[in-house]
CSV table of all heavy atoms in Angstrom, one decimal:
chain,number,residue,atom,x,y,z
A,250,VAL,N,4.1,7.0,-8.7
A,250,VAL,CA,4.9,7.2,-7.5
A,250,VAL,C,5.9,8.3,-7.7
A,250,VAL,O,6.2,9.1,-6.9
A,250,VAL,CB,5.7,5.9,-7.2
A,250,VAL,CG1,6.5,6.0,-6.0
A,250,VAL,CG2,4.7,4.7,-7.0
A,251,LEU,N,6.5,8.4,-8.9
A,251,LEU,CA,7.5,9.4,-9.2
A,251,LEU,C,6.9,10.8,-9.2
A,251,LEU,O,7.4,11.8,-8.6
A,251,LEU,CB,8.1,9.2,-10.6
A,251,LEU,CG,9.1,8.0,-10.7
A,251,LEU,CD1,9.5,7.8,-12.2
A,251,LEU,CD2,10.2,8.1,-9.8
A,252,LEU,N,5.7,10.9,-9.8
A,252,LEU,CA,5.0,12.2,-9.7
A,252,LEU,C,4.6,12.6,-8.3
A,252,LEU,O,4.7,13.8,-7.9
A,252,LEU,CB,3.7,12.1,-10.6
A,252,LEU,CG,3.9,12.2,-12.1
A,252,LEU,CD1,2.6,11.8,-12.9
A,252,LEU,CD2,4.4,13.6,-12.6
A,253,SER,N,4.2,11.6,-7.5
A,253,SER,CA,3.8,11.9,-6.2
A,253,SER,C,4.9,12.4,-5.3
A,253,SER,O,4.7,13.4,-4.6
A,253,SER,CB,3.2,10.6,-5.5
A,253,SER,OG,2.1,10.1,-6.2
A,254,HIS,N,6.1,11.9,-5.5
A,254,HIS,CA,7.2,12.3,-4.7
A,254,HIS,C,7.8,13.6,-5.3
A,254,HIS,O,8.3,14.5,-4.5
A,254,HIS,CB,8.3,11.2,-4.7
A,254,HIS,CG,8.0,10.1,-3.7
A,254,HIS,ND1,8.4,10.1,-2.4
A,254,HIS,CD2,7.2,9.0,-3.8
A,254,HIS,CE1,8.0,9.1,-1.8
A,254,HIS,NE2,7.2,8.4,-2.6
A,255,ASP,N,7.7,13.8,-6.6
A,255,ASP,CA,8.2,15.1,-7.1
A,255,ASP,C,7.2,16.3,-6.7
A,255,ASP,O,7.7,17.4,-6.7
A,255,ASP,CB,8.3,15.0,-8.6
A,255,ASP,CG,9.6,14.5,-9.1
A,255,ASP,OD1,10.5,14.3,-8.2
A,255,ASP,OD2,9.8,14.3,-10.3
A,256,MET,N,6.0,16.0,-6.5
A,256,MET,CA,5.1,17.0,-6.1
A,256,MET,C,5.2,17.4,-4.6
A,256,MET,O,4.5,18.3,-4.1
A,256,MET,CB,3.6,16.7,-6.4
A,256,MET,CG,3.0,15.5,-5.6
A,256,MET,SD,1.4,15.1,-6.1
A,256,MET,CE,0.4,16.4,-5.4
A,257,ALA,N,6.0,16.7,-3.9
A,257,ALA,CA,6.2,16.9,-2.4
A,257,ALA,C,6.6,18.4,-2.2
A,257,ALA,O,6.1,19.0,-1.3
A,257,ALA,CB,7.2,16.0,-1.9
A,258,SER,N,7.6,18.8,-3.0
A,258,SER,CA,8.0,20.2,-2.8
A,258,SER,C,7.0,21.2,-3.1
A,258,SER,O,6.8,22.3,-2.4
A,258,SER,CB,9.3,20.5,-3.6
A,258,SER,OG,9.0,20.3,-5.0
A,259,LEU,N,6.1,20.9,-4.1
A,259,LEU,CA,5.0,21.8,-4.4
A,259,LEU,C,4.0,21.9,-3.3
A,259,LEU,O,3.5,22.9,-2.9
A,259,LEU,CB,4.3,21.4,-5.7
A,259,LEU,CG,5.2,21.3,-7.0
A,259,LEU,CD1,4.4,20.8,-8.2
A,259,LEU,CD2,5.8,22.7,-7.3
A,260,LEU,N,3.7,20.7,-2.7
A,260,LEU,CA,2.8,20.6,-1.6
A,260,LEU,C,3.3,21.4,-0.4
A,260,LEU,O,2.6,22.1,0.3
A,260,LEU,CB,2.5,19.2,-1.2
A,260,LEU,CG,1.4,18.5,-2.1
A,260,LEU,CD1,1.4,17.0,-1.8
A,260,LEU,CD2,0.1,19.1,-2.0
A,261,ASP,N,4.6,21.2,-0.1
A,261,ASP,CA,5.2,21.9,1.0
A,261,ASP,C,5.1,23.4,0.8
A,261,ASP,O,4.8,24.1,1.8
A,261,ASP,CB,6.7,21.5,1.1
A,261,ASP,CG,6.9,20.1,1.7
A,261,ASP,OD1,5.9,19.6,2.4
A,261,ASP,OD2,7.9,19.5,1.5
A,262,ASP,N,5.4,23.8,-0.4
A,262,ASP,CA,5.3,25.3,-0.7
A,262,ASP,C,3.9,25.8,-0.5
A,262,ASP,O,3.6,26.8,0.1
A,262,ASP,CB,5.8,25.5,-2.1
A,262,ASP,CG,5.9,27.0,-2.4
A,262,ASP,OD1,5.9,27.8,-1.4
A,262,ASP,OD2,5.9,27.4,-3.6
A,263,GLY,N,2.9,25.0,-1.0
A,263,GLY,CA,1.5,25.4,-1.0
A,263,GLY,C,1.0,25.5,0.5
A,263,GLY,O,0.3,26.4,0.9
A,264,LEU,N,1.3,24.4,1.2
A,264,LEU,CA,0.9,24.4,2.6
A,264,LEU,C,1.5,25.5,3.5
A,264,LEU,O,0.9,26.0,4.4
A,264,LEU,CB,1.2,23.0,3.2
A,264,LEU,CG,0.4,21.8,2.7
A,264,LEU,CD1,1.0,20.5,3.2
A,264,LEU,CD2,-1.1,22.0,3.0
A,265,GLU,N,2.8,25.8,3.1
A,265,GLU,CA,3.5,26.9,3.9
A,265,GLU,C,2.8,28.2,3.6
A,265,GLU,O,2.6,29.0,4.5
A,265,GLU,CB,4.9,27.0,3.4
A,265,GLU,CG,5.7,27.9,4.2
A,265,GLU,CD,7.2,27.9,3.9
A,265,GLU,OE1,7.6,26.9,3.2
A,265,GLU,OE2,7.9,28.9,4.2
A,266,ARG,N,2.3,28.4,2.4
A,266,ARG,CA,1.6,29.7,2.0
A,266,ARG,C,0.3,29.8,2.7
A,266,ARG,O,-0.2,30.8,3.1
A,266,ARG,CB,1.4,29.8,0.5
A,266,ARG,CG,2.7,29.9,-0.3
A,266,ARG,CD,2.4,30.1,-1.8
A,266,ARG,NE,3.6,30.0,-2.6
A,266,ARG,CZ,3.7,30.3,-3.8
A,266,ARG,NH1,2.6,30.8,-4.4
A,266,ARG,NH2,4.8,30.2,-4.5
Side-chain angles (χ1 to χ4, degrees):
V250 182
L251 292 175
L252 285 170
S253 300
H254 282 266
D255 272 355
M256 69 184 282
S258 58
L259 300 181
L260 280 173
D261 284 340
D262 186 17
L264 291 172
E265 186 174 345
R266 295 187 190 189

